[in-house]
Amino acid sequence: MKSKNKKPLLPDREIMTEAERELLSRDIKRVAEEYFELSGNTCLDITRTESGFSVCVLFDARRIKKLWRPQN
């Protein structure tokens, strides 16, 4: 049976656009805010390595939020 996927496969890229980096940074910040009270900007560093990429995310936080266990 032939695949009906008509989308072209995108080749791997070496860099992200500034818009993509901003979107990734916002997504990571939104998740981090669930666990921490943030107090500054989120810094994103993406570096090419032998096996792919190293992604480093840094942000300042005032405190770790108390997490509540869901009730069943």
Side-chain angles (χ1 to χ4, degrees):
M1 182 176 203
K2 290 184 179 180
S3 173
K4 297 197 182 221
N5 185 1
K6 295 187 181 193
K7 294 180 183 177
L9 296 176
L10 297 176
D12 289 342
R13 299 179 299 153
E14 294 294 318
I15 60 171
M16 293 179 80
T17 66
E18 197 57 39
E20 291 169 330
R21 290 175 68 88
E22 178 62 31
L23 181 61
L24 176 58
S25 182
R26 277 190 288 159
D27 286 345
I28 291 171
K29 183 177 179 181
R30 185 172 52 244
V31 171
E33 286 175 334
E34 293 181 22
Y35 299 90
F36 301 94
E37 184 178 311
L38 301 183
S39 62
N41 292 332
T42 302
C43 177
L44 179 66
D45 181 45
I46 302 171
T47 306
R48 184 77 163 137
T49 65
E50 287 181 14
S51 61
F53 294 91
S54 172
V55 180
C56 181
V57 179
L58 297 173
F59 55 84
D60 293 326
R62 287 186 197 90
R63 67 180 184 93
I64 299 172
K65 292 181 177 180
K66 180 158 179 74
L67 299 177
W68 297 97
R69 189 173 195 186
Q71 300 289 324
N72 289 335

